[in-house]
């Protein structure tokens, strides 16, 4: 079948397997062992191929490497969010303590306290917003880890099926080799028997021909003797009287 683009790439046993989109279905035989083994776990319209068997301009990044980078980035982002949350919480506690101190020490600082309260509210909103972003990042990380686990499971199933198919093909090959060897032996035996029969027939034919030749040679010699006898008789007869 004519292959389309690479949908996903995964690493397994030092090889890179690619899930390739099949643009035009093929009614012919399978394209290769790797593809036959992988089609059982591939979605409709796609099949698994080794990267070394594909001719692609841009080498696809395996799913493990891509998700590893994204997971690392998510972890770094979570650490930044955590540090920022702690800083905001400390800042919030500082503003809160200052506001309480201002309320108890001097009533003239009410306006400043109100301004600080607004800042505290803004900081609280920012903290809440960053908390939501952290939750979304956590959900995305969990989803990414689930996708990686599913990809590994499918790859393991495809690898197992490929190994089973390879063992079955080896077993069939040995069976055919055994049958072929038996057929060759039988043909050789039949050929030797036919050869022996032909040689025996030719020896018999040669004996019959020699026997017939000797017989004809005897007849010829007998005829030659009779001819000589007749010639002698003709020569010994007196000539007829003239007149």
């Amino acid at each position: 079948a004519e292959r389309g683009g690479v949908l996903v790439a995964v690493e397994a046993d030092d090889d890179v397997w690619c899930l390739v989109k099949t643009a035009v279905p093929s009614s012919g035989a399978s394209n290769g062992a790797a593809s036959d083994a992988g089609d059982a776990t591939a979605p409709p319209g796609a099949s698994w191929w080794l990267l070394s068997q594909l001719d692609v301009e841009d080498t696809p990044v395996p799913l493990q490497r891509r998700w590893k980078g994204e997971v690392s980035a998510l972890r770094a982002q979570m650490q930044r969010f955590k540090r920022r949350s702690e800083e905001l919480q400390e800042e919030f506690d500082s503003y809160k303590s200052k506001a309480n101190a201002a309320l108890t020490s001097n009533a003239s600082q009410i306006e400043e306290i109100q301004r600080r309260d607004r800042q505290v509210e803004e900081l609280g909103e920012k903290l809440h917003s960053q908390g939501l972003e952290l939750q979304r990042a956590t959900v995305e990380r969990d989803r990414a880890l689930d996708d990686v686990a599913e990809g590994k499971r499918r790859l393991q199933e495809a690898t197992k099926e490929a190994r089973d198919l390879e063992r079955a093909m080896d077993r069939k090959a040995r069976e055919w080799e055994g049958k072929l060897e038996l057929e060759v032996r039988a043909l050789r035996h039949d050929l030797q028997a036919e050869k022996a029969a032909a040689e025996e027939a030719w020896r018999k034919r040669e004996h019959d021909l020699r026997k017939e030749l000797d017989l004809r040679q005897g007849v010829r010699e007998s005829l030659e003797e009779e001819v000589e006898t007749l010639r002698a008789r003709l020569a010994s007869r007196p000539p007829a009287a003239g007149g």
Side-chain angles (χ1 to χ4, degrees), residues 1-7 18-26 35 38-49:
E2 182 181 357
R3 296 191 294 273
V6 176
L7 299 177
C18 298
L19 184 62
V20 180
K21 180 180 180 182
T22 303
V24 179
S26 174
S35 178
D39 287 344
T41 59
S47 59
W48 289 100
W49 287 79

Side-chain angles (χ1 to χ4, degrees), residues 90-104 120:
E90 291 176 359
E91 195 172 352
F92 175 82
D93 294 337
S94 175
Y95 285 140
K96 185 176 181 181
S97 62
K98 289 179 180 180
N100 291 330
L103 286 173
T104 57
V120 169

Side-chain angles (χ1 to χ4, degrees), residues 82-241:
K82 184 178 180 181
R83 288 194 299 269
R84 182 57 179 166
S85 297
E86 292 174 353
E87 292 173 0
L88 291 174
Q89 185 64 41
E90 291 176 359
E91 195 172 352
F92 175 82
D93 294 337
S94 175
Y95 285 140
K96 185 176 181 181
S97 62
K98 289 179 180 180
N100 291 330
L103 286 173
T104 57
S105 64
N106 192 351
S108 62
Q109 297 180 351
I110 293 176
E111 186 177 354
E112 179 65 18
I113 293 173
Q114 291 177 349
R115 187 179 67 83
R116 294 297 180 91
D117 286 341
R118 288 193 296 271
Q119 291 179 350
V120 169
E121 291 177 358
E122 292 176 357
L123 290 174
E125 292 176 356
K126 290 181 180 179
L127 182 62
H128 179 69
S129 177
Q130 291 184 355
L132 293 177
E133 291 181 1
L134 182 60
Q135 290 179 356
R136 286 195 296 270
T138 303
V139 171
E140 292 178 358
R141 182 204 61 182
D142 294 340
R143 186 182 299 112
L145 293 176
D146 292 340
D147 292 340
V148 170
E150 179 66 16
K152 288 182 178 180
R153 184 187 66 79
R154 290 185 178 182
L155 181 60
Q156 289 174 354
E157 292 178 355
T159 303
K160 180 179 179 300
E161 292 183 359
R163 291 175 180 173
D164 294 342
L165 180 60
E166 184 177 358
R167 286 194 292 269
M169 292 177 64
D170 291 340
R171 185 170 60 255
K172 287 293 183 180
R174 288 194 296 271
E175 291 177 358
W176 279 108
E177 288 177 357
K179 291 180 180 180
L180 182 60
E181 185 177 356
L182 292 176
E183 291 179 358
V184 169
R185 289 180 181 178
L187 289 174
R188 287 179 177 175
H189 181 268
D190 295 342
L191 182 61
Q192 290 177 355
E194 292 178 0
K195 181 180 179 182
E199 290 177 351
E200 180 64 23
W202 277 110
R203 284 195 295 268
K204 184 177 180 181
R205 178 63 176 168
E206 182 180 7
H207 179 268
D208 294 341
L209 290 175
R210 289 184 180 276
K211 186 176 180 181
E212 184 178 356
L213 182 61
D214 293 341
L215 180 61
R216 291 186 179 182
Q217 186 69 26
V219 172
R220 178 182 177 184
E221 291 177 355
S222 176
L223 290 176
E224 288 179 351
E225 289 178 358
E226 290 182 2
V227 169
E228 291 296 330
T229 302
L230 291 175
R231 287 178 178 175
R233 288 180 180 178
L234 289 174
S236 61
R237 287 179 64 181

Side-chain angles (χ1 to χ4, degrees), residues 22-56:
T22 303
V24 179
S26 174
S27 60
S30 174
N31 289 330
S35 178
D36 290 339
D39 287 344
T41 59
S47 59
W48 289 100
W49 287 79
L50 282 172
L51 179 59
S52 58
Q53 296 176 336
L54 298 176
D55 184 13
V56 293

